[in-house]
Amino acid sequence: MDNQKKIALIAGRDNWHTRDFPEEGIPVVTMSDGPHGLRVEKEAGIGFPQSVPAVAWPVLSALGCSFDTELIHEIGTALAEECIAEGVDVLLAPGINHKRNPLCGRNFEYFSEDPVVSGELGSAYVNGLQENGIGASLKHYAANSREEGRLVTDSIVEERTLHEIYLRAFDTVIHKAKPWTMMMAYNMLNGIYCCENEFLMNHARKEGFDGVFVSDWGGVSDPAASLIHGLNLIMPGDHHADAKVQEALEKGILSQDKLDESVRCISDLAKKVSHHSPKPYDIQKHLDLALKAAEESIVLLKNDGVLPVKKEQSFLLVGNLLKMSNHGGNGSSKVEAISVDHVTDIFDKRKINYAFYSGKSIEKTIRLAKEKDIVIIGAGYYENEESEGYDRKNMRLSSHQNRLIRELCNNHDHVIVVIQTGSPVEMPWKEDAEGILYMNLTGCRGGSALTNILFGMTCPSARLAETFPQKLEDVPSYAHFSDNPHQMEYREGIFTGYRYYDTFDIPVNYGFGHGLSYTHFSYSDLKTGDYSVSFTLKNDGDYDARNTVCLYIGFKDSSITRAAKELKAFQSVYLKKGEEKRIVFNLDESMFQYYDIQKHDWMIEEGMYQLMIGGAVNEIFLQTEMYHEGIQNPYSSIQKEFYEFSEGKLHIEKASFEKMLGRQIPQFKNNIDADSSLKDLELHTFRFLAKVLSKKKELLPGVRLSTIQETPLRQILMADQKITWETIDGMVELLNGMPVKGIKKVLKSLKSSRL
Ligand code: BGC
């Protein structure tokens, strides 16, 4: 294969395909989004054009609450069948980023705030797909935890935190499922774009990844630099990366070996994906599985006796979300659902005695409520309130929803609140509601699943895969999440999610792992065996049910800074009423390790560890201790003297964070280059240009103005195939005060553009 073809191969043909060279035996690879259903676009277009109707599965934040690896594996298999039906070879999923802050617009696309949960469920998902000949794309690698400025922002993460929290789930999926591709995140990690981040890509290779590193769509800032540092495939189609790569090859900056390696990876992938001939799948079977998945995802947060309700009772259903469910969030993961069960439709079908009211007038709602035995209110976010491309500004329901719930609770004794969001919300009325269900965004069968749980046909079994803090200010990354569009300092380090709330005794609304049931489970007879721990779990209540049991490990006397407990393993177990089972957790060394930044490796500290069996992190049923051999003088850069805990908050000053990092945080330099966004340009004299361009928002239907303003110049490449990297270079020169040179370059590039 000659170099021209090789260079052509390393950039896609268009939005969803790689280039193919049949004469060289390299077929095309077709890709589509994920993760909770297929988004096969009907026609090409910018933004998120209409897609082919598909099964809308519960979003990953919902599936995370199932803690059920078998279920996720089954969904992976079902998605593979859907890919085969649609001619898709690689599904751009799953997203396993760590949830650092509830405001991240894309949290609904991720499993958990715990890397063990994300890693195990992510592995099951990838195995389900790949065992059926469909490739996965593990994304977004790595430390991609905010949408604001996501295309250029620098995630600044200390080394131990990076390994223990932000890379851990990726490592697990690489070990357990060997994904065929990994998608490099848009952002920078410690000053280097992920697509050019040799540390990141070498790390994955060392862990055993042997597939294709693909850029997130439009995430390449410099094609040659990306390839030199390990990226294999530039997506979407970037016809004009060829010239840049050719130049780098001629200058010897890009070696022939590096180019050949990318070609080998892409051609291996193209041969590996099965290129099945399209075969229809059993839609009903998939809808049944989507129902089971939704049932396993809905978390019963509170029950003062109102649940399960009875068919003889009368109901008032309040809130448009019960009539028109929000089945998923917005952005590239949005599925055009083939059907959606809305709660009111299911109540109609089952001939339940109910009335519906939107809740618009609080007085009217209270009047109607008084005529019914039970009030069920659906509250939450509407589709566009959680999205790729922008973050939430707060974690509150609308003030109307909060007032309505409070007033209803003040005026009726039996109020059940159903929350439809993909991330935690504040609950100022938590003490007043008799029942609270976290429905999440449970896909096309959510309404049936909710009804089954409400009426006790299914026993709730889900547990929160993410803490519900009392208020946003309690979140450990609160002060350093949206304070700077260009940099994100991960100052809280390893104290993220429950690792923070549990260690520092911060009161929360509902802790990680919280989830009630209609039955009762007892835990007894804890024994440690040969590197294992076992106990008896008995369902001694009145319902057949599933339960997730968790193994947490702590090390009270450790000489390094640690979280009080960390989840190390979990099992989802189904027991009929009266049934009991011996549960065994096999231990392995990784469960005792911490990441040592002096040795740049995982180490075990010698000492006595606490092994705890629980459900929620703050609900430990059984506990024992185990001595583990290891090193005696461990070292961690996260040291108590670097942080201060006062007034209920963790404070880490910039200087202390820099000590943990072992370097100074670089000043953001507002140069004008291809990575400058319209917002950045506004800081310069070319304010007028930024204004003109940002007014063109109708160019991208459905995309917010703020997202357009945060978009770097280089992304214009994605808007029109006539625009080349040379055009961008010319624009940069123009903006840097070289109008003649710049304009000449722009015109020349447009003229010579091959399309
Ligand atoms: C998203 C990816 C997605 C890709 C293709 C990007 O905007 O970050 O998750 O797979 O688009 O739609």
Side-chain angles (χ1 to χ4, degrees), residues 360-398:
K360 194 165 178 229
S361 147
I362 297 185
E363 294 67 34
K364 182 170 171 193
T365 318
I366 293 170
R367 222 172 39 244
L368 293 172
K370 287 192 172 145
E371 292 161 19
K372 302 290 178 189
D373 299 327
I374 309 270
V375 182
I376 301 173
I377 166 157
Y381 300 149
Y382 288 85
E383 192 186 83
N384 292 345
E385 293 188 65
E386 281 174 292
S387 176
E388 172 175 347
Y390 48 90
D391 299 309
R392 288 198 47 82
K393 297 281 173 250
N394 57 52
M395 48 175 260
R396 287 196 294 270
L397 296 173
S398 71

Side-chain angles (χ1 to χ4, degrees), residues 148-175:
E148 186 191 356
R150 64 180 176 151
L151 289 143
V152 290
T153 198
D154 182 11
S155 296
I156 303 175
V157 194
E158 176 277 332
E159 189 179 342
R160 179 174 162 209
T161 308
L162 184 62
H163 285 271
E164 291 189 10
I165 308 289
Y166 294 91
L167 299 183
R168 189 77 194 235
F170 288 96
D171 294 352
T172 304
V173 182
I174 293 173
H175 301 162

Side-chain angles (χ1 to χ4, degrees), residues 69 73 116 119-128 130-131 169-179 207-208 568-570 588 590-591:
T69 49
H73 186 275
V116 171
E120 293 299 326
L121 299 187
S123 302
Y125 185 109
V126 172
N127 280 328
Q130 295 188 169
E131 283 162 14
F170 288 96
D171 294 352
T172 304
V173 182
I174 293 173
H175 301 162
K176 296 196 162 180
K178 286 216 156 205
E207 296 296 312
K568 297 296 174 178
F570 59 88
D588 69 60
S590 72
M591 296 178 179

Side-chain angles (χ1 to χ4, degrees), residues 16 33 39 106 139-140 150 183 186 216 332 388:
W16 306 112
D33 282 311
R39 190 177 67 87
R106 257 185 130 167
K139 65 190 190 183
H140 308 90
R150 64 180 176 151
M183 191 188 288
Y186 283 130
D216 196 346
S332 65
E388 172 175 347

